[in-house]
């Protein structure tokens, strides 16, 4: 079978192609001369699989999209606290290249407008580093994200550097306000070099997928940045990534994104997919009209809005009441004089707080109500893909309380998602932890009751 996804991406491009409004960025002459017919899209899944269509091998400069990653590098090199002391996290409501600082703190509003991005750049490596050291650090880090060696487009760099008065103005403003400590002209030169790094849509989608995958590279499996940094970058992208169109973007398209004046948009839906679109003609805010249209189509067609509520929590808990019978002809109670029920609670999927709360509620409801007399409680994690920290804490607490109530608790946990022994400290009581259902049945059966069968499919 041929996957329908590449055909779908091609159809998305064909719908965006007739959009002819807008113009390429005029203030960098190389960008002003761009071939405006160019059009491309790519998706990178969090397991490293990439789909693309259109001019997917075409290289263009990252421009402002570099700001998102340089923010992560600054956090790594200077520490989050030092970065937050210098750069805010609020949308500015102004154009990206406005000479603006927050009133109370003198900090740039956020790392995705030029003032914040030049500051973030100045924090890479160390405050006294050279342009060359910072550029090398950024190129290496971005190349690791893209899984290939990236290069600076020197023609684009020269074109912007020869007329960088506004960014120079921002640099000197930052220096006067005590936000950057290095030579402002050097910080601006380094910043413009970072903007001139060339990528393709496939590179950008892959780079975004690292953010979506909590900082771990889907292909190499390497941790590129701490999960907290990936979350921080995605958060500022969600609120400030689309220039002063960020609020409308979040409401209508609904995933974190950063755009650049070369015509690219990089999008990221945590845990799912990295997205990139490219076409050079921009609207008055600096966002590529066709790239915006592509992202809107992808969001609507594939349900990529961050605020879409999912049904996952409702389908995570399955409850079964099993009467386990034992004996030679499978008609005797599972334990001498005991034909009481065994309650089986199964948890499915990637369980977070809402799923663990449903389990807690089900345990409370069933074991204080209709099945109060159940002689054993089986918690099955056989179909549990993962528990996040809070879900694990809630379930550990459930188990502790069941044991305190003198319940016979058996956990079927073949992949150790519960991590009972890693987390349960002290001399507290432990549940029986087994790998298979038949081991659980053997245990519940108890002595003299080995040949256990089951009712109701368990
Ligand atoms: N090099 C550009 C500048 O600072 C980046 C702008 C952008 O892509 O928004 O003017």
């Amino acid at each position: 079978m041929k996957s329908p996804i590449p055909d779908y991406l091609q159809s998305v491009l064909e719908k965006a192609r007739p959009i002819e409004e807008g113009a390429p960025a005029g203030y960098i002459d190389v960008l002003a001369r761009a071939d405006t017919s160019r059009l491309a899209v790519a998706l990178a899944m969090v397991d490293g699989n990439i789909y693309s269509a259109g001019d997917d091998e075409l290289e263009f400069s990252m421009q402002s999209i570099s700001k998102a990653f340089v923010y992560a590098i600054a956090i790594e090199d200077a520490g989050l606290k030092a970065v937050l002391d210098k750069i805010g996290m609020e949308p500015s409501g102004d154009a990206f290249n406005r000479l603006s600082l927050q009133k109370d703190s003198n900090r740039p509003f956020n790392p995705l407008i030029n003032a914040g991005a030049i500051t973030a750049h100045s924090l890479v490596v160390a405050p006294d580093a050279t342009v060359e050291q910072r550029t090398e650090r950024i190129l290496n880090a971005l190349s690791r994200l893209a899984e290939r060696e990236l290069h600076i487009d020197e023609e684009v760099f020269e074109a912007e550097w020869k007329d960088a008065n506004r960014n120079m103005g921002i640099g000197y403003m930052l220096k006067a306000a005590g936000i950057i400590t290095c030579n402002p002209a050097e910080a601006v030169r380094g910043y413009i070099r970072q903007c001139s790094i060339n990528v393709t849509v496939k590179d950008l989608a892959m780079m975004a997928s690292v953010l979506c995958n909590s900082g771990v590279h889907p292909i190499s499996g390497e941790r590129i940045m701490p999960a907290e940094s990936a979350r921080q970058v995605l958060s500022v992208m969600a609120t400030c990534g689309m220039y002063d169109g960020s609020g409308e973007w979040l409401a209508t398209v609904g995933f974190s994104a950063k755009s650049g004046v070369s015509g690219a948009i990089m999008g990221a839906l945590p845990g799912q997919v990295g997205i990139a679109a490219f076409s050079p003609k921009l609207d008055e805010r600096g966002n590529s009209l066709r790239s915006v249209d592509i992202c809107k189509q992808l969001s609507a067609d594939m349900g990529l809005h961050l605020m879409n509520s999912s049904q996952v929590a409702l389908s995570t808990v399955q409850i079964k009441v099993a009467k386990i019978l034992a004996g030679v002809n499978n008609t005797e109670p599972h334990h001498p004089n005991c034909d009481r029920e065994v309650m089986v609670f199964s948890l499915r999927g990637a369980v977070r707080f809402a799923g663990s709360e449903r389990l807690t509620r089900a345990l409370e409801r069933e074991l204080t109500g209709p099945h109060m007399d159940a002689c054993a409680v089986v918690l099955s994690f056989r179909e549990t893909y993962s528990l996040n920290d809070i879900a694990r804490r809630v379930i550990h607490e459930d188990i502790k309380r069941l044991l305190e109530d003198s319940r016979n608790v058996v956990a079927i946990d073949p992949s150790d998602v519960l991590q009972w022994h890693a987390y349960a400290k002290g001399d507290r009581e432990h549940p029986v932890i087994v790998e298979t259902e038949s081991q659980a049945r053997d245990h519940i059966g108890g002595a003299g009751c080995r040949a256990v069968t089951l009712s109701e499919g368990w």
Side-chain angles (χ1 to χ4, degrees):
M1 187 204 94
K2 187 170 160 280
S3 164
I5 298 173
D7 296 343
Y8 163 69
L9 290 180
Q10 192 60 46
S11 77
V12 167
L13 290 189
E14 295 322 318
K15 283 191 193 145
R17 204 181 294 279
I19 300 172
E20 285 296 352
E21 294 87 59
Y27 72 104
I28 302 174
D29 58 23
V30 186
L31 299 188
R33 288 186 268 113
D35 175 354
T36 57
S37 69
R38 299 301 206 136
L39 183 60
V41 64
L43 301 180
M45 312 314 292
V46 288
D47 64 0
N49 198 30
I50 293 194
Y51 299 97
S52 59
D55 297 306
D56 56 0
E57 299 290 337
L58 178 76
E59 295 201 344
F60 47 84
S61 52
M62 291 180 83
Q63 298 299 333
S64 264
I65 296 172
S66 64
K67 295 170 180 173
F69 295 110
V70 172
Y71 184 48
I73 299 169
I75 292 172
E76 189 175 340
D77 290 358
L80 181 61
K81 182 172 179 318
V83 170
L84 295 181
D85 283 348
K86 302 264 184 192
I87 310 169
M89 291 184 274
E90 302 300 337
S92 68
D94 289 327
F96 69 98
N97 56 3
R98 181 81 183 265
L99 279 77
S100 60
L101 294 174
Q102 285 179 326
K103 272 207 187 74
D104 48 347
S105 64
N106 265 353
R107 294 177 306 174
F109 280 82
N110 66 67
L112 302 183
I113 55 169
N114 288 14
I118 292 167
T119 306
H121 180 91
S122 80
L123 295 171
V124 168
V125 181
D128 58 352
T130 63
V131 173
E132 285 63 38
Q133 285 170 323
R134 290 202 185 104
T135 308
E136 197 190 330
R137 164 87 174 102
I138 293 168
L139 258 178
N140 285 341
L142 267 49
S143 298
R144 264 176 88 205
L145 284 159
E147 284 257 305
R148 73 180 185 101
E149 206 176 318
L150 301 178
H151 298 281
I152 290 176
D153 187 326
E154 295 294 344
E155 203 191 351
V156 171
F157 167 73
E158 290 301 338
E160 188 167 4
W161 179 235
K162 72 173 192 263
D163 182 13
N165 294 324
R166 180 167 274 276
N167 281 328
M168 284 295 209
I170 293 174
Y172 282 99
M173 170 189 75
L174 292 167
K175 178 83 174 182
I179 297 291
I180 64 171
T181 50
C182 62
N183 176 331
E186 293 287 271
V188 171
R189 189 158 73 89
Y191 159 75
I192 293 177
R193 287 190 78 61
Q194 114 193 6
C195 287
S196 310
I197 295 173
N198 268 356
V199 288
T200 66
V201 281
K202 290 197 276 191
D203 294 328
L204 279 185
M206 170 90 88
M207 295 162 90
S209 75
V210 178
L211 298 174
C212 300
N213 200 30
S214 303
V216 174
H217 202 292
I219 294 198
S220 66
E222 240 183 301
R223 176 161 293 288
I224 307 277
M225 64 182 84
E228 296 71 30
S229 298
R231 192 180 64 189
Q232 180 75 13
V233 172
L234 289 171
S235 303
V236 295
M237 280 169 60
T239 51
C240 316
M242 295 298 287
Y243 305 120
D244 43 343
S246 298
E248 187 185 327
W249 175 271
L250 190 58
T252 54
V253 181
F255 49 74
S256 293
K258 180 71 204 92
S259 74
V261 290
S262 53
I265 295 179
M266 175 181 80
L269 189 63
Q272 290 203 49
V273 60
I275 298 159
F278 173 78
S279 200
K281 284 189 178 175
L282 312 179
D283 63 16
E284 65 291 344
R285 285 165 166 164
N287 296 319
S288 159
L289 281 148
R290 285 178 180 157
S291 298
V292 168
D293 183 75
I294 290 168
C295 291
K296 282 188 173 159
Q297 289 188 56
L298 295 176
S299 173
D301 296 344
M302 304 201 295
L304 301 184
H305 201 296
L306 265 173
M307 304 302 170
N308 284 343
S309 51
S310 93
Q311 294 297 308
V312 173
L314 297 179
S315 56
T316 44
V317 184
Q318 190 192 34
I319 304 164
K320 282 184 185 161
V321 183
K323 254 196 190 153
I324 299 182
L325 302 173
V328 182
N329 54 11
N330 291 336
T331 57
E332 296 160 24
H334 65 87
H335 198 272
N337 308 322
C338 177
D339 66 349
R340 281 154 49 196
E341 296 157 332
V342 171
M343 299 293 297
V344 183
F345 298 81
S346 303
L347 267 186
R348 291 179 168 160
V351 180
R352 294 179 289 182
F353 172 70
S356 64
E357 185 275 341
R358 282 183 64 78
L359 173 67
T360 301
R361 199 152 24 115
L363 287 167
E364 187 178 34
R365 184 185 61 231
E366 303 298 329
L367 296 174
T368 53
H371 304 286
M372 190 185 266
D373 286 339
C375 80
V377 179
V378 178
L379 301 175
S380 175
F381 301 97
R382 244 166 41 97
E383 293 176 42
T384 309
Y385 172 69
S386 62
L387 300 176
N388 75 357
D389 279 351
I390 180 66
R392 184 177 297 110
R393 276 168 54 196
V394 170
I395 297 169
H396 276 223
E397 190 60 29
D398 289 338
I399 293 176
K400 193 180 123 209
R401 289 176 183 219
L402 289 169
L403 293 169
E404 281 168 4
D405 289 347
S406 304
R407 293 278 181 191
N408 180 7
V409 183
V410 181
I412 305 173
D413 188 14
S415 322
D416 196 24
V417 289
L418 198 53
Q419 297 186 25
W420 180 267
H421 293 291
Y423 282 87
K425 295 273 159 11
D427 54 359
R428 67 199 236 186
E429 273 192 85
H430 300 293
V432 172
I433 300 179
V434 296
E435 292 197 355
T436 64
E437 289 181 353
S438 77
Q439 287 169 348
R441 280 186 236 122
D442 279 354
H443 174 78
I444 295 162
C449 185
R450 312 308 307 175
V452 179
T453 186
L454 58 142
S455 64
E456 299 183 33
W458 188 72

